[in-house]
Amino acid sequence: MPEPKTHKITGISLSNEPFEKYFRMFGILRQSKDRSQWPAETLYAAPYKPLLLLSILDLLEQGIIKTNLIELCQELGELFTLYCSKVLAPEKIGNIGMPFYHLTGDGFWQLIPKPGLENLSSEKNSASGLKKVLIGAKFDDELFNLLVIKEVRDAFRRLLIQKYFLESIQQKLLELSQVNKAVFEYSENLLKKPSQNLNIKEVAGSSVDYVKQVRDQAFRKAVVKAYEHRCAICGLKVITAEGHTAVAAAHIVPWSISKNDSVTNGIALCHLCHWAFDEGVTGISTHYTVLASEQLTLSGNAPGVFLMMRDRPIFKPDINERLPDIEALNWHRKNVFKRL
């Protein structure tokens, strides 16, 4: 009996009819095409469906998606935004609600409405609107059972990148999927060992800035997660329906000096509090209370909330091992915080 032929790209047996069926469907996604609206990098077509699917494949790879339920979660929104930033101009903001809804027209994706909220007509173009009425979405069960296999995920990822994006950026998108996996693994390790400055495992053939990308993104991811997206100084917590968060991760002792990405050398801060902490007009005491510099009271200043927050406890991580390192805070008070 002759050996069954294999797919020339994936090496998967052509006798696998479900694979061939869905591989073909992933290659003919319905897209809006307009040379005046979309760049050459996306072959002059809306890239949102393939970018959403690439983001979902990454969450499957990371083990965040474990069942055939895809929710409009913060992790999915973050990855989708990251992929969009690689192929679209900064002013072209990706709306994850559009592909999440419109993938229903491609034959393998179904929305799961909340009971009694089956009418989506007024919510279909908005992530916040969809979150009000949807539990999430699902693939055909047959397709999901294929996508849990790494070799199949890799094949579908290559197809999406080769089919819908200009050759000059295909390697960048493939590497991004590697970076996303490394970021997830490294950030989880940082959270498990919050006081340790861990090494990043390099990937053969990666670009020179691979380690920097992983380090920057994993540090931010780990610290923001440790503080549950809440600013340690003012307590602000806002996550949009698209998965964008109001806080970022700040090094207490700057990376340029410490070379230290441990969670305990980080603190989650909103943009205003981040600026104030870096400028030294705020600080944190050894008792984890907010310090406010007397410079805030100089003539012409209107310090507002910073003086109101003086001597208040910071908003801490739930796990004590993730609290800011006392020696790092001492360094900040000695070298950055302005007494007057």
Side-chain angles (χ1 to χ4, degrees), residues 143-161:
L143 172 58
F144 182 78
N145 291 336
L146 283 168
L147 293 178
V148 299
I149 303 169
K150 175 175 172 49
E151 289 77 12
V152 173
R153 286 196 302 274
D154 290 345
F156 277 61
R157 181 182 292 110
R158 289 195 298 270
L159 169 68
L160 290 168
I161 291 173

Side-chain angles (χ1 to χ4, degrees), residues 259-283:
K259 302 296 188 290
N260 185 353
D261 275 328
S262 66
V263 170
T264 56
N265 188 42
I267 188 167
L269 298 172
C270 71
H271 294 294
L272 179 58
C273 289
H274 195 168
W275 172 86
F277 189 76
D278 286 350
E279 282 291 315
V281 294
T282 61

